[in-house]
Amino acid sequence: MSEEKRTDKTIVVFSADLDKVMAAFNIAIGAASMGFECSMYFTFWGLNVLRKENAEAPVKKKDFMSKMLGVMMPKGPKKLTLSQMNMGGMGTSMMKMRMKSKNIMQLPELIKMAHSMGVKFLACQMTMNMMGMEKDEFIDDLSYVGVAGYLGAVEKADCNLFI
Amino acid sequence: MSEEKRTDKTIVVFSADLDKVMAAFNIAIGAASMGFECSMYFTFWGLNVLRKENAEAPVKKKDFMSKMLGVMMPKGPKKLTLSQMNMGGMGTSMMKMRMKSKNIMQLPELIKMAHSMGVKFLACQMTMNMMGMEKDEFIDDLSYVGVAGYLGAVEKADCNLFI
Amino acid sequence: MSEEKRTDKTIVVFSADLDKVMAAFNIAIGAASMGFECSMYFTFWGLNVLRKENAEAPVKKKDFMSKMLGVMMPKGPKKLTLSQMNMGGMGTSMMKMRMKSKNIMQLPELIKMAHSMGVKFLACQMTMNMMGMEKDEFIDDLSYVGVAGYLGAVEKADCNLFI
């Protein structure tokens, strides 16, 4: 493979801050719409972006700490808050209203659009292990990978961001 | 264009934390002084770095929410605070005194120097729309672009950071 | 040198949050185990990761502000806390216990492993100057560089992250 062919983009989504995750998806969608392959690697807090809102946690299997983490961390994109000016949720709500009135796509729509445009979602297996999360708590069409899987995507990329 | 020629650097300045923005400019200036082209894409909170300190907001045109956001967010580089140890502003003030005594350039000087060395400043149009900001609130010599403009700069770069 | 040979990775470790620093080392170790050269550039808060736990500060030489900064900032990897859910240290302690029970390597082990695998540690000289830190406060085998040293490593890299 010649180096000239490297045009993919990768984004490590480490954060679960609404503003940072929206920036990640806006870049990914921009890249996809320009015809570039794009992989997003969701790790640590960022893995919460991929949680299903109404997933029944497989309660029996979970130990106490896993249950508690599952409750404390945001369950899907609608639960994310701003990294700044959250003000107990009020700032986040106001910014969402604002984006709606300005016809700016909200995060759940951004995720659907990225998926429909072929952006690849990689879920970090080590984080799942650490947080005690199971595959049936996540949205569909994920690849479950380790850091080697992420670095594999990097090998075809000319732009790699950590968000 | 051959891949060998890719030596530009791009930096997404998403944050408006004083420490992170200073790191961004130090890298940009370092790259420029080594002869590399460098583009900084200011988006979300980072767009506040480019606001003029004394800009008269075009008040009539602004809706209530835009005015409020304009007041709540930092108006230019002198208003930025540290991401850690800010301690109600005291930590930031002390760090600035410290940098002065150590002959470390402050942010306003870094911005001027980067500009004079040819570092390109790209302002995110979507953020301007969301925050209700107008061009006359910003410093001069900016390019107003969308995410496609940023990704265009990436195509000539061999190093792309998100800060 | 042909562009095809660029396979190194560089990571700017700006943050001293336990979770982010662990992510940085996991990526570095993953890259090293796949045979890639990897350089980590510790700057600003991130420089604290490299501090020796029991270093005797060369007290006589230090001015008041340097001493105070030395006390306020975390002294080595064991003192780092989570960026989220720290809860006055309780969250960080619980997450460490959790990682232990899941056989996930802790940060001090990650640092040792990265070092033994040949990952290069670059310490930012400007940060040392700003924070008033001396070489004998840091672990061994560091390279002391400026931003030009970091950008030199970038020239051989195909993946550059800012964490």
Side-chain angles (χ1 to χ4, degrees), chain B residues 74-93:
Chain B
K75 210 167 172 180
K78 290 185 186 167
K79 297 291 174 7
L80 269 46
T81 54
L82 292 173
S83 68
Q84 309 276 326
M85 301 205 316
N86 181 42
M87 302 179 289
M90 196 179 70
T92 298
S93 297

Side-chain angles (χ1 to χ4, degrees), chain A residues 61-104:
Chain A
K61 285 191 286 182
K62 289 217 179 187
D63 57 73
F64 173 73
M65 185 73 175
S66 299
K67 282 182 211 167
M68 204 171 72
L69 282 167
V71 170
M72 289 178 70
M73 295 190 301
K75 211 168 172 179
K78 290 184 186 168
K79 297 290 173 12
L80 271 45
T81 55
L82 293 173
S83 68
Q84 308 277 327
M85 301 206 316
N86 181 43
M87 301 179 290
M90 195 180 70
T92 298
S93 297
M94 273 166 43
M95 196 64 89
K96 284 184 184 173
M97 279 171 51
R98 175 86 180 166
M99 290 191 280
K100 203 169 179 182
S101 73
K102 293 279 186 180
N103 288 316
I104 294 170

Side-chain angles (χ1 to χ4, degrees), chain A residues 3-7 9 18-24 26-34 36 82-85 87 91 94-95 98-99 102-105 158-163, chain B residues 1-4 6 10 12 14 17 20 41 43-45 63-66 68-69 72-73 126 128-133 147-148 150-152 154-155 157-163:
Chain A
E3 194 73 9
E4 269 76 0
K5 301 268 174 59
R6 286 175 76 150
T7 60
K9 321 293 172 198
L18 177 62
D19 40 1
K20 293 189 186 167
V21 175
M22 286 190 69
N26 276 312
I27 294 172
I29 289 171
S33 69
M34 289 166 79
F36 301 125
L82 293 173
S83 68
Q84 308 277 327
M85 301 206 316
M87 301 179 290
M94 273 166 43
M95 196 64 89
R98 175 86 180 166
M99 290 191 280
K102 293 279 186 180
N103 288 316
I104 294 170
M105 259 197 290
D158 66 347
C159 176
N160 307 286
L161 305 174
F162 184 100
I163 297 186
Chain B
M1 191 192 71
S2 155
E3 194 73 10
E4 269 76 0
R6 286 175 76 150
T10 77
V12 180
F14 172 91
D17 293 323
K20 292 188 186 169
Y41 177 57
T43 187
F44 224 96
W45 313 109
D63 58 70
F64 173 73
M65 186 74 176
S66 299
M68 204 172 72
L69 281 167
M72 289 177 71
M73 295 190 301
M126 197 187 84
M128 286 174 66
N129 175 27
M130 185 166 70
M131 303 298 193
M133 292 173 175
V147 73
Y150 159 67
L151 289 166
V154 165
E155 284 192 55
D158 66 347
C159 177
N160 307 286
L161 305 175
F162 184 100
I163 296 185

Side-chain angles (χ1 to χ4, degrees), chain A:
Chain A
M1 191 192 72
S2 156
E3 194 73 9
E4 269 76 0
K5 301 268 174 59
R6 286 175 76 150
T7 60
D8 292 11
K9 321 293 172 198
T10 77
I11 302 174
V12 180
V13 183
F14 172 90
S15 166
D17 293 323
L18 177 62
D19 40 1
K20 293 189 186 167
V21 175
M22 286 190 69
F25 275 96
N26 276 312
I27 294 172
I29 289 171
S33 69
M34 289 166 79
F36 301 125
E37 293 284 320
C38 191
S39 295
M40 302 176 84
Y41 177 55
F42 296 85
T43 187
F44 224 96
W45 312 109
L47 197 55
N48 289 303
V49 176
L50 303 178
R51 289 172 79 194
K52 278 190 286 203
E53 203 177 342
N54 302 311
E56 284 290 317
V59 175
K60 278 170 293 183
K61 285 191 286 182
K62 289 217 179 187
D63 57 73
F64 173 73
M65 185 73 175
S66 299
K67 282 182 211 167
M68 204 171 72
L69 282 167
V71 170
M72 289 178 70
M73 295 190 301
K75 211 168 172 179
K78 290 184 186 168
K79 297 290 173 12
L80 271 45
T81 55
L82 293 173
S83 68
Q84 308 277 327
M85 301 206 316
N86 181 43
M87 301 179 290
M90 195 180 70
T92 298
S93 297
M94 273 166 43
M95 196 64 89
K96 284 184 184 173
M97 279 171 51
R98 175 86 180 166
M99 290 191 280
K100 203 169 179 182
S101 73
K102 293 279 186 180
N103 288 316
I104 294 170
M105 259 197 290
Q106 307 278 338
L107 184 54
E109 281 73 52
L110 290 173
I111 296 174
K112 273 182 207 144
M113 172 164 271
H115 180 252
S116 73
M117 291 176 86
V119 173
K120 283 175 206 141
F121 296 171
L122 314 179
C124 172
Q125 285 176 320
M126 197 187 85
T127 304
M128 286 173 66
N129 176 28
M130 185 167 69
M131 304 298 192
M133 292 173 174
E134 306 287 338
K135 287 188 184 180
D136 49 14
E137 296 174 61
F138 293 106
I139 58 173
D140 297 334
D141 294 327
L142 306 183
S143 299
Y144 297 90
V145 301
V147 73
Y150 159 66
L151 289 167
V154 165
E155 284 193 54
K156 288 179 280 179
D158 66 347
C159 176
N160 307 286
L161 305 174
F162 184 100
I163 297 186

